[in-house]
Each structure stands twice: as C-alpha cells, then as structure tokens.
Amino acid sequence: MAVNSATSFILSSILALLIFSGMQMYKPLIVKSPIMIIFGGYLGSVMFMFFVTAVGNLEATLFGKNFQLKLPEIVLSMGVSLVAAGMVHRICFTTCLIFSLITIYYMNKLSQKTYSTTVPAAAPVKSRRHK
C-alpha cells in the first residue's frame, strides 16, 4: 500500500529515530561480540536508508513530486548515520559505511528501474556528400 510523501516522511523519520534510540539503548549488547558490532553497522545503514527516504519525501512535499535528491542530501544522510553508528563503536562506523554504500547503490538501481524513461535511439543522419 503506497502512502503520500508527507505520510512517508513522518513514517521514515519515526523509524530512523527508533533505530537510533535502539542503537543507543542496546549499546552494551551491541559491543559484546564481533558479529553484533557488524550488526550495529547494519542497523546504521538501515537508519541511513530511512533518513534518505525522509529527506527525499520532505523535499518532494515542499518542492513538488519531480524534485530529486542530490549529492549534498545523500552526504548529509550518510554523515548522520555514520556519526550515530560511530557513537556505538568504531567498527560500527566502518561497517555502516560499507553497508550504506551497498544500500545506496541498490536504491539508485531500483529508482532507475522504476522512474527512468527510455529515450528512442536517434536515426542515423545521411550526409549529402559522397566519398
């Protein structure tokens, strides 16, 4: 079920906030084992995904449906999620970066598949000069 941009902004903001607060509350549990530290980085990348979604939907609500996210918004979202993961553990920062780059790659791929339009190939131009 699809929701409009304003509702999606609210939902993704709440989910990003819940993940951030959960990472802070369960910080002692996350840093206990190496696999949990990697899981903490994964949670940071999920928070990144929700934060990017929130920023994109806020811009779509304010500036119209055809407005697209640009690199500064992605970098800001990445910075916020990396700082949040770094507050848990140093390795969470690194794994969050890796998982977030993978996440943004697949988000871009999905967006291109969903919203791109195919441009017809240009017809070859015949020159008037003969060689």
Side-chain angles (χ1 to χ4, degrees):
M1 179 174 91
V3 295
N4 62 10
S5 294
T7 307
S8 181
F9 164 69
I10 293 169
L11 289 174
S12 56
S13 297
I14 290 171
L15 288 171
L17 185 65
L18 284 175
I19 290 174
F20 174 75
S21 61
M23 286 174 67
Q24 294 303 311
M25 283 182 0
Y26 294 108
K27 183 178 182 178
L29 183 67
I30 291 174
V31 298
K32 273 191 175 185
S33 69
I35 196 75
M36 288 300 289
I37 292 172
I38 293 170
F39 180 68
Y42 174 74
L43 284 177
S45 72
V46 172
M47 186 178 74
F48 165 72
M49 180 185 68
F50 285 130
F51 198 71
V52 165
T53 304
V55 170
N57 285 316
L58 176 64
E59 289 180 348
T61 302
L62 295 177
F63 304 125
K65 279 286 191 195
N66 294 329
F67 196 83
Q68 296 179 356
L69 280 175
K70 294 179 181 56
L71 188 60
E73 291 93 354
I74 301 295
V75 171
L76 173 74
S77 301
M78 180 78 74
V80 168
S81 65
L82 288 176
V83 167
M87 289 170 64
V88 175
H89 196 276
R90 295 184 305 217
I91 298 173
C92 286
F93 179 92
T94 306
T95 55
C96 177
L97 177 65
I98 294 167
F99 286 133
S100 294
L101 290 175
I102 293 168
T103 300
I104 200 67
Y105 171 76
Y106 282 107
M107 284 176 74
N108 183 38
K109 192 173 178 181
L110 178 66
S111 176
Q112 292 298 323
K113 181 180 167 186
T114 304
Y115 296 111
S116 69
T117 58
T118 57
V119 178
V125 178
K126 294 182 181 179
S127 65
R128 294 185 182 201
R129 295 183 185 177
H130 293 49
K131 293 184 178 183

